[in-house]
Amino acid sequence: MILLVQKFDKFYSKLENFHHHKHNHQSQALTASLEAFKSHVSNCLNKLSLSSKSGFEIPSFSWIQQCFELLPIINHAFAKLVVAIDYPVSKWEAASVDEYLKYSLNLLELCNSISSSLSHLGKARLSLAHALSLVENSSLSLALKHLKPIQPKGLNKELRFQGNEEIGKPRCPNISKQAVIDQALVVMQGMVFWVCGILMSGLVGEAKPYLEMRSSGGRFVDSWLPGLDLRASEVIVERNGVLKEVKELDDAVASLAAAIGTGKSSDEAAEELKRRLEVFEKLVEGFGKEVDCLFNKVLAGRNQLLNGLGQQKQ
């Protein structure tokens, strides 16, 4: 009988060690997946930081476009993480599903705000192009009425998209798939909102959007790339977010108006304004297409998720 008990204890001990080893292996795999996601996001920010040497001197259209291109990359990295740990949305806790749906809705709203700002810049370009045609037709006095600096469109409401950081806080010492999703959600939201703050400040020509949204992701940026958030903040506040290309257009408009006002030859100034308007048109249209593409992808993914959740409840 004693021998039987000893054999049973030995077997139970081996079984316990097996489960403990298996659990440790799973925890390590989950931790590695989460760290790989964070590393990918950090590398993206690092590229932004490396390209920001010129971008942070005067924010430019090309630089904020690079910022925007981070958004689908971060979203794709999160989707890859979900697949890597084999934890589809159908298994998530309700609070995490709600947080992801709120995040996607906020991102759609941000895309609409970006599109609205681009549309405003496009209309301003058309007005200046009309002024240029009046100059070419020698209607100089009428052209002067339209040769005005671009007035960026202010925001109609505050941009305070703050993720729920409570869902990202560990609730037990052992990492789980749910914990990985929650922590990744917090990181994704923080990074995306931080980047969008820079974007919107550049497009509307004021620091307010960045200052409102930096709280969402500034701490992540500072922990991964110390000084990047501070440099962005200093330059955006100092230059009030005005884009280099907008300033260059305004300077060209001022030069042409001055030439007309003093009766000097305006041919050279008109050519310069025409050249800058053509470049500006391509920038605005190209950026607009990228924004529309992201909007459609996010909307399609959100609708697919909602449809799936609806079918589960039936």
Side-chain angles (χ1 to χ4, degrees):
M1 182 67 179
I2 294 175
L3 186 62
L4 184 63
V5 171
Q6 288 176 338
K7 285 183 177 181
F8 178 78
D9 287 345
K10 192 175 182 180
F11 171 76
Y12 182 78
S13 178
K14 285 183 178 180
L15 187 63
E16 193 174 45
N17 287 336
F18 171 77
H19 284 300
H20 180 71
H21 177 75
K22 183 179 179 182
H23 178 75
N24 283 343
H25 179 73
Q26 185 184 43
S27 294
Q28 290 172 2
L30 289 173
T31 300
S33 295
L34 179 60
E35 290 305 313
F37 166 74
K38 290 180 178 180
S39 178
H40 186 68
V41 175
S42 178
N43 287 338
C44 290
L45 285 174
N46 191 41
K47 291 177 182 177
L48 186 63
S49 176
L50 290 173
S51 68
S52 68
K53 187 175 181 181
S54 60
F56 275 141
E57 291 172 5
I58 301 178
S60 66
F61 226 110
S62 61
W63 192 73
I64 66 165
Q65 199 161 353
Q66 287 179 48
C67 290
F68 182 81
E69 288 167 359
L70 291 180
L71 306 188
I73 292 174
I74 295 172
N75 283 340
H76 182 64
F78 180 79
K80 282 182 67 176
L81 174 65
V82 173
V83 174
I85 66 173
D86 190 24
Y87 198 62
V89 181
S90 58
K91 295 182 180 180
W92 293 9
E93 291 180 358
S96 301
V97 175
D98 289 343
E99 191 67 17
Y100 182 80
L101 288 172
K102 185 175 75 171
Y103 159 74
S104 63
L105 187 62
N106 286 338
L107 187 51
L108 289 173
E109 190 175 336
L110 281 164
C111 284
N112 280 332
S113 295
I114 294 170
S115 292
S116 178
S117 297
L118 288 173
S119 176
H120 173 76
L121 291 175
K123 290 176 182 176
R125 185 201 64 80
L126 284 174
S127 179
L128 291 175
H130 176 60
L132 199 57
S133 68
L134 291 172
V135 172
E136 291 171 350
N137 291 325
S138 300
S139 302
L140 302 183
S141 59
L142 190 57
L144 280 174
K145 294 180 180 179
H146 293 276
L147 286 172
K148 305 295 182 184
I150 293 175
Q151 298 294 328
K153 180 182 179 182
L155 293 173
N156 296 325
K157 62 178 182 177
E158 293 183 345
L159 296 174
R160 294 191 182 276
F161 300 133
Q162 182 71 47
N164 179 13
E165 295 190 11
E166 288 299 316
I167 69 167
K169 293 180 179 178
R171 286 161 287 186
C172 60
N174 296 321
I175 193 167
S176 64
K177 291 183 178 183
Q178 181 62 51
V180 169
I181 291 299
D182 289 344
Q183 290 183 46
L185 262 174
V186 171
V187 171
M188 177 173 67
Q189 290 184 95
M191 291 297 92
V192 167
F193 295 156
W194 182 81
V195 169
C196 284
I198 293 176
L199 275 170
M200 290 307 302
S201 283
L203 290 174
V204 304
E206 60 176 281
K208 186 179 177 182
Y210 176 73
L211 296 176
E212 287 179 350
M213 299 178 71
R214 67 181 298 210
S215 60
S216 298
R219 67 184 182 89
F220 292 113
V221 177
D222 274 339
S223 65
W224 290 337
L225 296 166
L228 179 60
D229 178 59
L230 180 61
R231 290 206 310 277
S233 178
E234 287 175 347
V235 173
I236 288 172
V237 171
E238 180 185 343
R239 298 190 178 276
N240 213 22
V242 177
L243 295 177
K244 182 182 75 169
E245 291 81 1
V246 172
K247 185 180 183 306
E248 288 173 346
L249 262 182
D250 287 345
D251 289 345
V253 167
S255 294
L256 179 56
I260 294 172
T262 57
K264 296 179 181 179
S265 174
S266 58
D267 291 349
E268 187 177 338
E271 280 299 316
E272 176 65 11
L273 178 57
K274 182 179 180 181
R275 184 182 69 81
R276 294 200 179 278
L277 284 173
E278 289 173 351
V279 171
F280 195 71
E281 180 181 16
K282 292 177 181 178
L283 288 171
V284 171
E285 288 184 355
F287 196 2
K289 289 177 181 178
E290 287 189 36
V291 176
D292 290 343
C293 182
L294 179 62
F295 180 92
N296 291 333
K297 284 184 178 179
V298 173
L299 182 61
R302 177 182 168 81
N303 288 340
Q304 186 178 7
L305 174 57
L306 288 171
N307 290 336
L309 293 174
Q311 291 173 2
Q312 278 185 313
K313 291 179 181 179
Q314 292 177 356

